[in-house]
Coordinates of all heavy atoms in Angstrom, one line a residue:
E111 N 0.8 -1.2 0.0 CA 0.0 0.0 0.0 C 0.9 1.2 0.0 O 1.8 1.4 0.8 CB -0.9 0.0 1.3 CG -2.0 1.0 1.2 CD -2.9 0.8 2.4 OE1 -3.4 -0.4 2.6 OE2 -3.2 1.7 3.1
P112 N 0.7 2.2 -1.0 CA 1.6 3.4 -1.0 C 1.3 4.3 0.2 O 0.2 4.4 0.6 CB 1.1 4.0 -2.3 CG -0.1 3.4 -2.8 CD -0.3 2.1 -2.0
A113 N 2.4 4.8 0.6 CA 2.4 5.8 1.8 C 1.9 7.1 1.3 O 2.2 7.5 0.2 CB 3.7 5.9 2.4
L114 N 1.2 7.8 2.1 CA 0.8 9.2 1.8 C 1.9 10.2 2.1 O 2.5 10.0 3.2 CB -0.5 9.6 2.6 CG -1.7 8.8 2.2 CD1 -2.9 9.2 3.2 CD2 -2.1 9.1 0.8
L115 N 2.2 11.1 1.3 CA 3.3 12.1 1.5 C 2.7 13.4 1.8 O 1.7 13.8 1.2 CB 4.1 12.2 0.3 CG 4.9 11.0 -0.2 CD1 5.7 11.3 -1.5 CD2 5.9 10.6 0.9
T116 N 3.3 14.2 2.7 CA 2.9 15.6 2.9 C 3.5 16.4 1.8 O 4.4 15.9 1.1 CB 3.4 16.1 4.3 OG1 4.8 16.1 4.2 CG2 2.9 15.2 5.4
N117 N 3.0 17.6 1.6 CA 3.6 18.5 0.6 C 5.1 18.7 0.8 O 5.9 18.6 -0.1 CB 2.9 19.9 0.7 CG 1.5 19.9 0.2 OD1 1.1 19.0 -0.4 ND2 0.8 20.9 0.5
F118 N 5.5 18.8 2.1 CA 6.9 19.0 2.3 C 7.8 17.8 2.0 O 8.9 17.8 1.5 CB 7.2 19.4 3.8 CG 6.6 20.8 4.1 CD1 5.6 21.0 5.0 CD2 7.2 21.9 3.4 CE1 5.1 22.3 5.2 CE2 6.7 23.2 3.7 CZ 5.6 23.4 4.6
E119 N 7.2 16.6 2.3 CA 7.9 15.3 2.0 C 8.1 15.2 0.5 O 9.1 14.7 0.0 CB 7.2 14.1 2.6 CG 7.3 14.1 4.1 CD 6.4 13.1 4.7 OE1 5.3 12.8 4.2 OE2 6.7 12.6 5.8
L120 N 7.0 15.5 -0.2 CA 7.1 15.4 -1.7 C 8.1 16.4 -2.2 O 8.9 16.0 -3.1 CB 5.7 15.8 -2.3 CG 5.6 15.7 -3.8 CD1 5.9 14.3 -4.3 CD2 4.3 16.2 -4.2
I121 N 8.2 17.6 -1.7 CA 9.2 18.5 -2.2 C 10.6 18.0 -1.9 O 11.5 18.1 -2.7 CB 9.0 19.9 -1.5 CG1 7.7 20.6 -2.1 CG2 10.2 20.8 -1.8 CD1 7.2 21.8 -1.4
E122 N 10.8 17.5 -0.7 CA 12.1 17.0 -0.3 C 12.5 15.8 -1.2 O 13.6 15.7 -1.7 CB 12.1 16.5 1.1 CG 12.2 17.6 2.2 CD 12.1 17.0 3.6 OE1 11.7 15.9 3.8 OE2 12.5 17.8 4.5
E123 N 11.6 15.0 -1.5 CA 11.8 13.8 -2.3 C 12.1 14.1 -3.7 O 12.9 13.5 -4.4 CB 10.6 12.8 -2.2 CG 10.9 11.5 -2.9 CD 9.7 10.6 -2.7 OE1 9.4 10.1 -1.6 OE2 8.9 10.4 -3.7
R124 N 11.4 15.1 -4.3 CA 11.6 15.5 -5.7 C 12.2 16.8 -5.9 O 12.1 17.3 -7.1 CB 10.2 15.5 -6.3 CG 9.3 14.3 -6.1 CD 9.8 13.1 -7.0 NE 9.2 11.9 -6.7 CZ 8.2 11.3 -7.4 NH1 7.7 12.0 -8.4 NH2 7.7 10.2 -7.0
A125 N 13.0 17.3 -5.0 CA 13.6 18.7 -5.1 C 14.5 18.8 -6.3 O 14.5 19.8 -7.0 CB 14.3 19.0 -3.9
A126 N 15.2 17.7 -6.7 CA 16.1 17.8 -7.8 C 15.4 18.1 -9.1 O 16.0 18.7 -10.0 CB 16.9 16.5 -7.9
L127 N 14.1 17.7 -9.2 CA 13.4 18.0 -10.5 C 13.1 19.5 -10.7 O 12.9 19.9 -11.8 CB 12.0 17.2 -10.4 CG 12.1 15.7 -10.3 CD1 10.7 15.1 -10.1 CD2 12.8 15.1 -11.6
I128 N 13.1 20.3 -9.7 CA 12.9 21.7 -9.8 C 14.0 22.6 -9.4 O 13.9 23.8 -9.4 CB 11.6 22.1 -9.0 CG1 11.8 21.8 -7.5 CG2 10.4 21.5 -9.5 CD1 10.8 22.5 -6.6
E129 N 15.2 21.9 -9.1 CA 16.3 22.6 -8.6 C 16.7 23.9 -9.5 O 17.1 24.9 -8.9 CB 17.5 21.7 -8.6 CG 18.7 22.2 -7.9 CD 19.8 21.2 -7.7 OE1 19.6 20.0 -7.9 OE2 20.9 21.6 -7.4
N130 N 16.7 23.8 -10.8 CA 17.1 24.9 -11.6 C 16.0 25.6 -12.3 O 16.2 26.4 -13.2 CB 18.1 24.3 -12.7 CG 19.3 23.7 -12.1 OD1 19.9 24.3 -11.2 ND2 19.7 22.6 -12.6
K131 N 14.8 25.4 -11.8 CA 13.6 26.1 -12.4 C 13.5 27.5 -11.8 O 13.8 27.7 -10.6 CB 12.3 25.4 -12.2 CG 12.3 24.1 -12.9 CD 10.9 23.9 -13.5 CE 10.8 22.6 -14.1 NZ 10.6 22.6 -15.5
S132 N 13.1 28.5 -12.6 CA 12.9 29.9 -12.2 C 11.5 30.0 -11.5 O 10.6 29.3 -12.0 CB 13.0 30.8 -13.4 OG 12.5 32.1 -13.0
V133 N 11.4 30.8 -10.5 CA 10.1 31.0 -9.8 C 9.1 31.6 -10.8 O 7.9 31.5 -10.7 CB 10.3 31.8 -8.5 CG1 10.6 33.2 -8.8 CG2 9.0 31.6 -7.7
E134 N 9.6 32.3 -11.8 CA 8.7 33.0 -12.8 C 7.8 32.0 -13.4 O 6.6 32.3 -13.7 CB 9.6 33.7 -13.8 CG 8.8 34.4 -14.9 CD 9.6 35.1 -15.9 OE1 10.8 34.8 -16.1 OE2 9.0 36.0 -16.6
K135 N 8.2 30.8 -13.6 CA 7.4 29.8 -14.3 C 6.4 29.1 -13.3 O 5.5 28.5 -13.7 CB 8.3 28.7 -14.9 CG 9.1 29.3 -16.0 CD 10.0 28.2 -16.7 CE 10.9 29.0 -17.6 NZ 11.4 28.3 -18.7
L136 N 6.6 29.3 -12.0 CA 5.7 28.8 -11.0 C 4.7 29.7 -10.4 O 3.7 29.3 -10.0 CB 6.6 28.2 -9.9 CG 7.6 27.1 -10.2 CD1 8.4 26.8 -9.0 CD2 6.9 25.9 -10.8
M137 N 5.1 31.0 -10.4 CA 4.3 32.0 -9.7 C 3.0 32.3 -10.4 O 2.8 32.2 -11.6 CB 5.0 33.3 -9.5 CG 5.3 34.1 -10.7 SD 6.3 35.5 -10.3 CE 6.3 36.4 -11.8
I138 N 2.0 32.7 -9.6 CA 0.7 33.2 -10.1 C 0.8 34.7 -10.4 O 1.2 35.4 -9.6 CB -0.4 32.9 -9.1 CG1 -0.5 31.4 -8.8 CG2 -1.7 33.5 -9.5 CD1 -1.4 31.1 -7.6
K139 N 0.5 35.0 -11.6 CA 0.7 36.4 -12.0 C -0.6 37.3 -11.9 O -0.5 38.5 -11.7 CB 1.2 36.5 -13.5 CG 2.6 35.9 -13.6 CD 3.1 35.9 -15.0 CE 4.5 35.3 -15.0 NZ 4.8 34.5 -16.1
D140 N -1.7 36.6 -12.0 CA -3.0 37.3 -11.8 C -3.5 37.2 -10.3 O -4.4 36.4 -10.1 CB -4.0 36.8 -12.8 CG -5.3 37.6 -12.8 OD1 -5.3 38.7 -12.4 OD2 -6.3 37.0 -13.2
V141 N -2.8 37.9 -9.4 CA -3.0 37.7 -8.0 C -4.3 38.4 -7.5 O -4.5 39.6 -7.9 CB -1.8 38.2 -7.2 CG1 -2.0 38.1 -5.7 CG2 -0.6 37.5 -7.6
V142 N -5.1 37.7 -6.8 CA -6.3 38.3 -6.2 C -5.9 38.9 -4.9 O -5.2 38.3 -4.1 CB -7.4 37.3 -5.9 CG1 -8.6 37.9 -5.2 CG2 -7.8 36.6 -7.2
T143 N -6.2 40.2 -4.6 CA -5.8 40.9 -3.4 C -7.0 41.5 -2.8 O -8.1 41.8 -3.5 CB -4.7 42.0 -3.6 OG1 -5.2 43.0 -4.4 CG2 -3.5 41.4 -4.2
V144 N -6.9 41.8 -1.5 CA -8.0 42.6 -0.8 C -7.3 43.7 0.1 O -6.1 43.7 0.2 CB -8.8 41.7 0.2 CG1 -9.6 40.6 -0.6 CG2 -7.9 41.0 1.2
D145 N -8.1 44.6 0.6 CA -7.5 45.6 1.5 C -8.0 45.3 2.9 O -8.8 44.4 3.1 CB -7.8 47.0 1.1 CG -9.3 47.4 1.1 OD1 -10.0 46.9 2.0 OD2 -9.7 48.2 0.3
E146 N -7.5 46.0 3.9 CA -7.8 45.7 5.3 C -9.2 46.0 5.7 O -9.6 45.5 6.8 CB -6.8 46.4 6.2 CG -6.8 47.9 6.1 CD -5.7 48.6 6.8 OE1 -5.1 47.9 7.7 OE2 -5.4 49.7 6.5
E147 N -10.0 46.6 4.9 CA -11.4 46.9 5.2 C -12.3 45.9 4.5 O -13.5 46.0 4.7 CB -11.7 48.4 4.7 CG -10.9 49.4 5.4 CD -11.1 49.5 6.9 OE1 -12.3 49.3 7.3 OE2 -10.2 49.7 7.6
T148 N -11.8 45.0 3.7 CA -12.6 44.0 3.1 C -13.4 43.1 4.1 O -12.7 42.6 5.0 CB -11.8 43.1 2.1 OG1 -11.1 44.0 1.2 CG2 -12.7 42.2 1.3
P149 N -14.7 43.0 4.0 CA -15.4 42.1 4.9 C -14.9 40.7 4.8 O -14.6 40.2 3.7 CB -16.9 42.3 4.4 CG -16.9 43.5 3.7 CD -15.6 43.7 3.0
V150 N -14.9 40.0 6.0 CA -14.4 38.6 6.0 C -15.3 37.7 5.1 O -14.7 36.8 4.5 CB -14.4 38.1 7.5 CG1 -14.1 36.7 7.6 CG2 -13.5 39.0 8.3
M151 N -16.6 37.9 5.1 CA -17.4 37.1 4.2 C -17.1 37.2 2.7 O -17.1 36.3 2.0 CB -18.9 37.3 4.5 CG -19.4 36.7 5.8 SD -19.1 34.9 6.0 CE -20.0 34.3 4.6
K152 N -16.7 38.4 2.3 CA -16.3 38.6 0.9 C -15.0 37.9 0.7 O -14.8 37.2 -0.4 CB -16.1 40.1 0.6 CG -15.6 40.3 -0.8 CD -15.7 41.7 -1.2 CE -15.1 41.8 -2.6 NZ -15.8 42.4 -3.6
I153 N -14.1 37.9 1.6 CA -12.8 37.2 1.5 C -13.1 35.7 1.4 O -12.5 35.0 0.6 CB -11.8 37.5 2.6 CG1 -11.4 39.0 2.5 CG2 -10.6 36.6 2.6 CD1 -10.6 39.5 3.7
A154 N -14.0 35.2 2.3 CA -14.3 33.8 2.3 C -14.9 33.4 0.9 O -14.5 32.3 0.4 CB -15.3 33.5 3.4
S155 N -15.7 34.2 0.4 CA -16.3 33.9 -1.0 C -15.3 33.9 -2.0 O -15.3 33.0 -2.9 CB -17.4 35.0 -1.3 OG -18.5 34.9 -0.5
L156 N -14.3 34.9 -2.0 CA -13.2 34.9 -3.0 C -12.4 33.6 -2.9 O -12.0 33.0 -3.9 CB -12.3 36.1 -2.8 CG -12.9 37.4 -3.3 CD1 -12.1 38.6 -2.7 CD2 -13.0 37.5 -4.8
L157 N -12.1 33.2 -1.7 CA -11.3 32.0 -1.5 C -12.0 30.8 -2.1 O -11.3 30.0 -2.8 CB -11.0 31.7 0.0 CG -10.1 32.7 0.7 CD1 -10.2 32.5 2.2 CD2 -8.7 32.5 0.2
L158 N -13.3 30.7 -1.9 CA -14.0 29.5 -2.5 C -14.2 29.6 -4.0 O -14.0 28.7 -4.7 CB -15.4 29.4 -1.8 CG -15.4 29.0 -0.3 CD1 -16.8 29.2 0.3 CD2 -14.9 27.6 -0.2
M159 N -14.6 30.8 -4.5 CA -14.8 31.0 -5.9 C -13.6 30.8 -6.7 O -13.6 30.2 -7.8 CB -15.5 32.4 -6.2 CG -16.9 32.5 -5.7 SD -17.7 34.0 -6.2 CE -16.4 35.3 -6.1
K160 N -12.5 31.4 -6.2 CA -11.2 31.3 -7.0 C -10.4 30.0 -6.7 O -9.4 29.8 -7.3 CB -10.3 32.5 -6.6 CG -10.9 33.9 -7.0 CD -11.0 34.1 -8.4 CE -11.5 35.5 -8.8 NZ -11.5 35.7 -10.2
K161 N -10.9 29.2 -5.8 CA -10.3 28.0 -5.4 C -8.8 28.2 -4.9 O -7.9 27.5 -5.4 CB -10.4 26.9 -6.5 CG -11.8 26.6 -6.8 CD -11.9 25.6 -8.0 CE -13.3 25.3 -8.3 NZ -13.5 24.4 -9.4
I162 N -8.6 29.2 -4.1 CA -7.3 29.5 -3.5 C -7.3 29.4 -2.0 O -8.4 29.3 -1.4 CB -6.9 30.9 -4.0 CG1 -7.9 32.0 -3.6 CG2 -6.6 31.0 -5.4 CD1 -7.5 33.4 -3.9
K163 N -6.2 29.2 -1.5 CA -6.0 29.0 0.0 C -5.8 30.2 0.8 O -6.0 30.2 2.0 CB -5.0 27.9 0.3 CG -5.3 26.6 -0.3 CD -4.3 25.6 0.0 CE -4.7 24.2 -0.6 NZ -3.6 23.2 -0.4
R164 N -5.2 31.2 0.2 CA -4.9 32.5 0.9 C -5.0 33.7 0.0 O -4.8 33.5 -1.2 CB -3.6 32.4 1.7 CG -2.4 32.2 0.8 CD -1.2 31.9 1.6 NE -1.3 30.7 2.5 CZ -1.2 29.5 2.2 NH1 -1.0 29.1 0.9 NH2 -1.4 28.5 3.0
I165 N -5.2 34.8 0.5 CA -5.3 36.1 -0.2 C -4.4 37.1 0.4 O -4.5 37.4 1.7 CB -6.7 36.6 -0.3 CG1 -7.6 35.7 -1.1 CG2 -6.8 38.0 -0.9 CD1 -9.0 36.2 -1.3
P166 N -3.5 37.8 -0.3 CA -2.7 38.9 0.2 C -3.6 40.1 0.6 O -4.5 40.4 -0.2 CB -1.8 39.3 -0.9 CG -1.8 38.1 -1.9 CD -3.2 37.5 -1.7
V167 N -3.3 40.7 1.7 CA -3.9 42.0 2.1 C -2.9 43.1 1.8 O -1.8 43.1 2.3 CB -4.3 42.0 3.6 CG1 -5.0 43.3 4.0 CG2 -5.2 40.8 3.9
V168 N -3.4 44.1 0.9 CA -2.4 45.1 0.5 C -3.0 46.5 0.8 O -4.3 46.7 0.9 CB -2.1 45.0 -1.0 CG1 -1.3 43.7 -1.3 CG2 -3.3 45.1 -1.9
L169 N -2.2 47.5 0.9 CA -2.5 48.9 1.1 C -1.5 49.7 0.3 O -0.3 49.6 0.5 CB -2.5 49.3 2.6 CG -2.9 50.8 2.8 CD1 -4.3 51.0 2.4 CD2 -2.7 51.1 4.3
D170 N -2.0 50.4 -0.7 CA -1.2 51.3 -1.6 C -0.1 50.4 -2.2 O 1.1 50.8 -2.2 CB -0.6 52.4 -0.8 CG -1.7 53.4 -0.3 OD1 -2.7 53.5 -1.0 OD2 -1.5 54.0 0.8
G171 N -0.4 49.2 -2.6 CA 0.6 48.3 -3.2 C 1.5 47.6 -2.3 O 2.4 46.9 -2.7
K172 N 1.4 47.9 -1.0 CA 2.3 47.3 0.0 C 1.6 46.1 0.7 O 0.5 46.2 1.1 CB 2.7 48.3 1.0 CG 3.7 47.8 2.1 CD 4.1 48.8 3.1 CE 5.0 48.1 4.1 NZ 5.2 49.0 5.3
L173 N 2.3 45.0 0.8 CA 1.8 43.8 1.4 C 1.7 44.0 2.9 O 2.7 44.3 3.6 CB 2.7 42.6 1.1 CG 2.2 41.3 1.8 CD1 0.9 40.8 1.2 CD2 3.3 40.2 1.5
L174 N 0.5 43.9 3.5 CA 0.3 44.0 4.9 C 0.3 42.7 5.6 O 0.6 42.5 6.8 CB -1.0 44.7 5.2 CG -1.2 46.2 4.7 CD1 -2.6 46.7 5.0 CD2 -0.1 47.1 5.3
G175 N -0.2 41.6 4.9 CA -0.3 40.3 5.4 C -1.1 39.4 4.5 O -1.3 39.8 3.3
T176 N -1.5 38.3 5.0 CA -2.4 37.4 4.2 C -3.5 36.9 5.1 O -3.4 36.9 6.3 CB -1.6 36.2 3.7 OG1 -1.1 35.4 4.8 CG2 -0.5 36.6 2.7
V177 N -4.6 36.5 4.4 CA -5.7 35.8 5.1 C -5.9 34.5 4.5 O -6.0 34.4 3.2 CB -7.0 36.7 5.0 CG1 -8.1 35.9 5.7 CG2 -6.8 38.0 5.7
S178 N -6.0 33.4 5.3 CA -6.1 32.1 4.7 C -7.5 31.5 5.1 O -8.2 32.0 5.9 CB -5.0 31.2 5.2 OG -5.2 30.9 6.6
R179 N -7.8 30.4 4.4 CA -9.0 29.6 4.8 C -8.9 29.3 6.3 O -9.9 29.4 7.0 CB -9.1 28.4 3.9 CG -9.4 28.6 2.5 CD -9.5 27.3 1.8 NE -9.8 27.5 0.4 CZ -10.0 26.5 -0.5 NH1 -10.0 25.3 0.0 NH2 -10.2 26.8 -1.7
A180 N -7.8 28.8 6.7 CA -7.6 28.4 8.1 C -7.9 29.6 9.0 O -8.5 29.4 10.1 CB -6.2 27.8 8.3
D181 N -7.4 30.8 8.7 CA -7.6 32.0 9.5 C -9.1 32.2 9.7 O -9.6 32.5 10.8 CB -7.0 33.2 8.9 CG -5.5 33.2 8.8 OD1 -4.9 32.5 9.7 OD2 -4.9 33.8 7.9
I182 N -9.9 32.1 8.6 CA -11.3 32.3 8.7 C -12.0 31.3 9.5 O -12.8 31.5 10.3 CB -11.9 32.5 7.3 CG1 -11.4 33.8 6.6 CG2 -13.4 32.5 7.3 CD1 -11.7 34.0 5.2
C183 N -11.6 30.0 9.3 CA -12.2 28.9 10.1 C -11.9 29.1 11.6 O -12.8 28.9 12.4 CB -11.6 27.6 9.6 SG -12.2 27.0 8.0
N184 N -10.7 29.5 11.9 CA -10.3 29.7 13.3 C -11.1 30.8 13.9 O -11.5 30.8 15.1 CB -8.8 29.9 13.4 CG -8.0 28.7 13.2 OD1 -8.5 27.6 13.4 ND2 -6.8 28.9 12.8
A185 N -11.4 31.9 13.1 CA -12.2 33.0 13.6 C -13.6 32.6 13.9 O -14.2 33.0 14.9 CB -12.1 34.2 12.6
V186 N -14.1 31.8 13.0 CA -15.5 31.3 13.2 C -15.6 30.4 14.4 O -16.5 30.5 15.2 CB -16.0 30.5 11.9 CG1 -17.3 29.7 12.2 CG2 -16.2 31.4 10.7
I187 N -14.6 29.5 14.6 CA -14.6 28.7 15.8 C -14.5 29.5 17.0 O -15.2 29.3 18.0 CB -13.5 27.6 15.7 CG1 -13.8 26.6 14.6 CG2 -13.2 26.9 17.0 CD1 -12.6 25.7 14.2
S188 N -13.6 30.5 17.0 CA -13.4 31.4 18.2 C -14.7 32.1 18.5 O -15.1 32.2 19.7 CB -12.3 32.4 17.9 OG -12.2 33.3 18.9
V189 N -15.4 32.6 17.6 CA -16.6 33.4 17.8 C -17.7 32.4 18.3 O -18.5 32.7 19.2 CB -17.1 34.1 16.5 CG1 -18.5 34.6 16.7 CG2 -16.1 35.2 16.2
S190 N -17.8 31.2 17.7 CA -18.8 30.2 18.1 C -18.6 29.8 19.6 O -19.6 29.5 20.2 CB -18.6 28.9 17.2 OG -18.9 29.3 15.9
R191 N -17.4 29.7 20.0 CA -17.1 29.4 21.4 C -17.6 30.4 22.4 O -18.0 30.1 23.5 CB -15.6 29.1 21.7 CG -15.1 27.9 21.0 CD -13.7 27.7 21.4 NE -13.2 26.4 20.7 CZ -12.0 26.2 20.4 NH1 -11.0 27.1 20.7 NH2 -11.6 25.0 19.9
K192 N -17.7 31.7 21.9 CA -18.1 32.8 22.8 C -19.6 32.9 22.9 O -20.1 33.6 23.7 CB -17.5 34.1 22.3 CG -16.0 34.1 22.5 CD -15.4 35.4 21.9 CE -13.9 35.3 22.0 NZ -13.3 36.5 21.4
V193 N -20.3 32.3 21.9 CA -21.8 32.4 21.9 C -22.5 31.4 22.8 O -22.1 30.4 23.2 CB -22.3 32.1 20.4 CG1 -23.8 32.0 20.4 CG2 -21.8 33.2 19.5

């Protein structure tokens, strides 16, 4: 039975295959971004619609941070515990 590999294990195992590749060929060029005033539900919708795991938060072209699916799930769990 084949073993399941984590993303990091796969990278370690196959690193030689990408050793000389430029990041330009791997990066996403049409990046979806939000600003710090974007409602959380809009970000959640973008994550689902675009099938992405995280969105950069920018202000005047400067990266402030990122919001991930996990961040939103954790916020929902945290609020649910307080109710």
